[in-house]
Amino acid sequence: MTSTVRALPAGFRVVLDRNTRLLDPGTLFGGAPARVLRLSETGQNALAELLSGPVRTRAAGVLARRLTDAGLAVAAPPREASAVSVTVVIPARDRAPQLARCLRALGDRHAVIVVDDGSQDPSAVARVTAAHGARLVRRATNGGPAAARNTAIRLVETDAVAMLDSDCVAPPGWIEQLAAHLADPLVALVAPRIRPRFATSAVGRYGSHRSCLDLGPAAAAVAPRTRVAYVPTAAVIARRAALLDVAVDGAVFDEALRYGEDVDLVWRLHDAGWRSRYDPSVVVAHDEPECWRALVTRRFRYGTSAAPLALRHPAHTVALVLPPWPAIAVAGLLAGRPSLSAAGATATLVAVGRTVRRAGLPANASLHSTARILGQTWTGTGRYVSQFGLLVAAGAVVAGGRRSSSWQARLRRGAWLGLLLAPIAADRRRCPPDLDPIRGAVAQLADEAAYGAGVWAGCLRHRSLRALRPAAFRSARSPRPRGVT
């Protein structure tokens, strides 16, 4: 049976993604994966309506849905969206002062359930919870965030669930602002931007600029293998019906996952046809590690989730995307064979030019797109090597090329060194300005290596190398429509 696209509801606005280009009144280029979208006269009229104001007609609503599902645009809810009943769920294990700070910022507008997940000092958690009028549920043994959230969600009867970690501080009105997205019946989950709270140490300042929880200032649809592939559930609003739709034996989160349980949930929602959104107009503060040991330990633990996620979601987990011709260009430099590298770059230009001509794009787009693809492949390979093969790369820099002529040895060493520095240079703007380049580079390499070590540990534990596999082609599937209109 053929399903009709379900229109974005009236009152929603759409904003073209920052990487989307309007080539002419009837042609859009962008999305994930990149594509060219040509509009009929009706589609052009619908786009004009969307660019000038909110959705008013069904044609504009259908186009808005297609644009947001393809990653060409992001949706913004109407300010007058109807109120949604919400229960706040907070998993906690000790950290009573942080819990008190979190509850104080929440106020008393919504019902709150605090789950004490096996605290060593349960009386302190109980006192804080009672002082702020929240409901306390105690687990005798620690089961991790997934188990704690499941315990609370089973008690929730409201339309929506707000999940918040005890070391977060949410701003006033954050629930109402995010819950407005739920006026779209296909939206299951909405996440704010998570920014570190003020940092006092150099480690804290580094972490505040490179926090793995901070997904950046640009709004996005959340989908696997796109710019925002997942969102952390340190702070989210979710539709209760959607959570129950993907629950397994009554459990929304997979309790076998100590880390990565939020990624697993977001991807299961996506596969079930629900939409998730990232709305950075709301910013929630979160504590960051203040010492190197805590920072690299956290990165290592996050890395251990890659292997079980790859086993559960093999289509969504790719450590590195390697387009064939650009990969040959990169491999040629690393092998000290510039002719092979030049051949790969030339073939990339030819392939891109063919695509550009077929899409009817301006001819000068070929050079720009080729340079971008080659740069992204080089930087991505550098990040992959930094995470999973830092010692191999360091050995190539120090001792590579001894059996070759001197110029080949220098080229090879320089290429490997440039490969390691590429992601550092790309991310330099995210490092604190008072952290000198050398310390910043060392910190970033340690950060990436800690995550990679966690991935290796997870792979050994689960006896699978799937999490390390690169992919030759980039592909991303749009969620299938829910219902018929």
Side-chain angles (χ1 to χ4, degrees), residues 35-79:
R35 71 198 72 191
V36 174
L37 180 65
R38 300 190 185 281
L39 303 176
S40 64
E41 183 177 350
T42 300
Q44 293 180 41
N45 293 335
L47 179 61
E49 176 183 325
L50 294 175
L51 295 179
S52 63
V55 172
R56 298 188 303 274
T57 64
R58 171 164 172 76
V62 170
L63 178 61
R65 180 70 72 191
R66 291 190 183 279
L67 293 177
T68 54
D69 281 354
L72 290 160
V74 293
R79 294 176 181 171

Side-chain angles (χ1 to χ4, degrees), residues 145-157:
R149 294 190 190 109
N150 283 339
T151 299
I153 291 171
R154 293 187 183 100
L155 303 174
V156 171
E157 297 179 352

Side-chain angles (χ1 to χ4, degrees), residues 225-285:
R225 300 179 67 177
T226 64
R227 178 174 62 83
V228 180
Y230 67 93
V231 287
T233 50
V236 295
I237 304 290
R239 190 186 302 273
R240 178 171 168 267
L243 297 180
L244 297 180
D245 182 43
V246 299
V248 179
D249 296 329
V252 171
F253 289 92
D254 186 342
E255 297 183 13
L257 293 171
R258 294 290 292 203
Y259 303 96
E261 78 288 346
D262 40 12
V263 181
D264 172 67
L265 173 62
V266 170
W267 288 353
R268 282 189 286 118
L269 287 168
H270 172 86
D271 291 344
W274 293 97
R275 275 61 162 179
S276 297
R277 291 181 184 154
Y278 172 60
D279 185 351
S281 66
V282 178
V283 179
V284 171

